[in-house]
Amino acid sequence: MRILAIETSCDETAAAVVEKDGKDVRILSNVIASQIEIHRKFGGVFPEHASRAHCEKIIPVTVEALSEAHATQSKSRRRAAWSASRALRTDFHAGKIESGIFDVAAPSDIDFVAVTTGPGLIGSLLIGVNFAKTFAYSKNLPIIGINHWLGHIYSNWAEASDIPQFPALILIVSGGHTGLVLMKSHDEIIPLGQTLDDAAGEAFDKVAKVLDLGYPGGPAISKAAEEGNPKAFNFPRSMLDRKDFDFSFSGLKTAVLYESKKHKMTGKIKADMAASFQQAVIDILIGKTIQAAYQYRPKSICLCGGVSANKELRGQMKKAASSLPHSITFHCPPMALTTDNAAMIGIAAAYHLDKASTYDKINANANLKL
Ligand code: KG4
Ligand code: ZN
């Protein structure tokens, strides 16, 4: 059973092919066209440019994902697929793409289409959703709409030999969302709490701007933090004294802004502020997650979303999880699946094939809830 997955909720145009064989789920291809260079000069995602770039890239990215997936098949099928894809690429570069795109995947190659339907930027979502619907319609294939956060959650199901156990406590930390969910089964996902203001990744991006460290902010802060002292500044750890599982990062961001105005911003001060800010975020995330682990006693703790690429967060969360009194497994997605990608959408779809419907039932929803 092969799934073509499409993800265009924000600023990455992504397509992947995922195979489900009995209980095994395997990624056959995972292609991402990043828009970082387009948005860098604006210091953040510029929605109209994002939509235009998705329009430009969605076909070539899908073609690449389909042909890469063929490359992992039997030799004869692979040879046939490669010559089809070579012809297709030639057609594509000659501007004759319309005749080629749907030929590269014969109906037997793809059985389902999956697409992110929300949440996200509506102009971005619409490109992927409309493309996926057209693909499904033209091939008469079932299509599955996937919530973007569900996709991030399932990035933890990418390693067949190391999947989480239920109940699993999952910390979603990305640029658009931060929250804790308890997953009791594939169909029972209970939100425990979420950010009341900025998402963790958003705080990284905004603080990187304050410290003038570059774009995107998360990787820039974590790189600068390697040279800094995490104890140099005592930034606030908001909400840790509360018993609920909500988060807040806007006070922390403002504290960094005020502190930055008091200093001559040398490389050393920036590194110390980056490290101290990063440690405050990590303390908040770990504090809430461990608090929830004591209350719900999950069998697994999982991280996901762009901020889960942060090595300090991964290392410190793993240590905190291992110090819990009951035994627990700790999971992080492979690095390539931390930020937005279509493989995670395909994996989520593989566990929810029963939700497949027809193209006319699928629509984009910028505010879709988990
Ligand atoms: O999950 P994602 O790709 O997009 C959303 O769904 O929002 O997350 C992007 C976020 C950005 O805010 C980025 O700064 C952050 O993930 N990020 C990081 C790191 N790499 C990416 N934050 C902290 N440390 C990192 N190494
Ligand atoms: Zn995301």
Side-chain angles (χ1 to χ4, degrees):
M1 205 76 83
R2 289 187 175 176
I3 303 162
L4 168 67
I6 303 290
E7 151 68 45
T8 63
S9 65
C10 189
D11 59 341
E12 316 278 11
T13 316
V17 178
V18 167
E19 185 170 59
K20 184 173 163 75
D21 185 4
K23 280 191 156 182
D24 285 346
V25 177
R26 236 166 27 107
I27 300 170
L28 300 185
S29 64
N30 186 28
V31 179
I32 303 171
S34 166
Q35 300 180 5
I36 284 179
E37 289 315 317
I38 297 172
H39 303 293
R40 192 188 296 281
K41 55 181 171 295
F42 305 105
V45 178
F46 193 119
E48 187 184 331
H49 287 300
S51 305
R52 288 178 184 276
H54 286 312
C55 257
E56 195 182 306
K57 296 288 185 195
I58 188 73
I59 292 175
V61 161
T62 305
V63 169
E64 204 175 323
L66 290 170
S67 40
E68 250 182 50
H70 291 160
T72 62
Q73 295 166 357
S74 74
K75 215 170 172 186
S76 59
R77 207 167 156 189
R78 192 164 62 212
R79 210 176 295 126
W82 270 113
S83 58
S85 91
R86 204 169 26 243
L88 180 77
R89 276 162 198 260
T90 313
D91 277 0
F92 172 65
H93 289 298
K96 292 189 280 175
I97 189 68
E98 309 78 41
S99 59
I101 172 78
F102 296 122
D103 298 340
V104 80
S108 57
D109 290 327
I110 297 294
D111 306 289
F112 287 87
V113 178
V115 63
T116 306
T117 48
L121 298 171
I122 192 64
S124 290
L125 286 165
L126 283 169
I127 313 291
V129 168
N130 227 19
F131 175 80
K133 283 169 70 164
T134 308
F135 192 100
Y137 171 75
S138 74
K139 294 273 191 199
N140 198 18
L141 292 176
I143 179 167
I144 310 169
I146 297 289
N147 182 302
H148 184 73
W149 308 128
L150 191 73
H152 275 300
I153 289 171
Y154 276 93
S155 60
N156 280 291
W157 271 256
E159 309 278 4
S161 58
D162 185 35
I163 58 172
Q165 306 296 306
F166 295 132
L169 178 64
I170 297 166
L171 176 67
I172 307 169
V173 266
S174 73
H177 184 60
T178 292
L180 267 170
V181 301
L182 186 69
M183 196 168 171
K184 290 188 170 174
S185 69
H186 290 293
D187 289 308
E188 219 181 337
I189 299 177
I190 303 160
L192 301 180
Q194 60 177 335
T195 181
L196 302 178
D197 40 56
D198 292 346
E202 198 180 349
F204 268 92
D205 295 335
K206 287 176 177 171
V207 166
K209 260 191 188 172
V210 167
L211 301 182
D212 195 22
L213 288 175
Y215 176 85
I221 296 254
S222 60
K223 186 157 186 289
E226 284 170 17
E227 311 294 322
N229 172 8
K231 295 195 173 131
F233 297 95
N234 187 18
F235 291 129
R237 272 78 169 150
S238 319
M239 318 273 285
L240 277 187
D241 52 341
R242 286 173 43 157
K243 293 232 175 309
D244 60 33
F245 302 110
D246 288 334
F247 299 85
S248 165
F249 295 100
S250 102
L252 169 58
K253 171 196 68 189
T254 310
V256 178
L257 175 67
Y258 286 153
E259 194 62 41
S260 71
K261 293 189 188 302
K262 295 184 199 161
H263 302 270
K264 183 165 181 289
M265 295 301 281
T266 60
K268 172 83 180 103
I269 293 278
K270 283 187 188 184
D272 283 349
M273 273 195 196
S276 302
F277 160 77
Q278 177 176 272
Q279 192 55 51
V281 175
I282 292 173
D283 287 349
I284 296 168
L285 295 174
I286 293 181
K288 287 284 174 187
T289 306
I290 297 302
Q291 208 175 306
Y294 271 102
Q295 186 162 329
Y296 295 99
R297 298 179 64 83
K299 290 194 179 139
S300 298
I301 290 184
C302 310
L303 284 180
C304 64
V307 183
S308 73
N310 189 286
K311 292 202 181 105
E312 276 299 317
L313 172 63
R314 286 176 170 237
Q316 293 186 35
M317 185 71 86
K318 186 175 181 188
K319 204 167 156 210
S322 70
S323 66
L324 280 163
H326 62 287
S327 108
I328 209 155
T329 61
F330 176 68
H331 306 261
C332 282
M335 275 295 177
L337 302 193
T338 53
T339 47
D340 291 348
N341 64 88
M344 67 185 193
I345 302 301
I347 299 169
Y351 284 93
H352 293 271
L353 292 180
D354 55 318
K355 315 238 172 26
S357 63
T358 46
Y359 73 92
D360 51 318
K361 310 275 186 333
I362 299 290
N363 238 320
N365 178 353
N367 301 312
L368 190 66
K369 298 277 178 279
L370 193 59

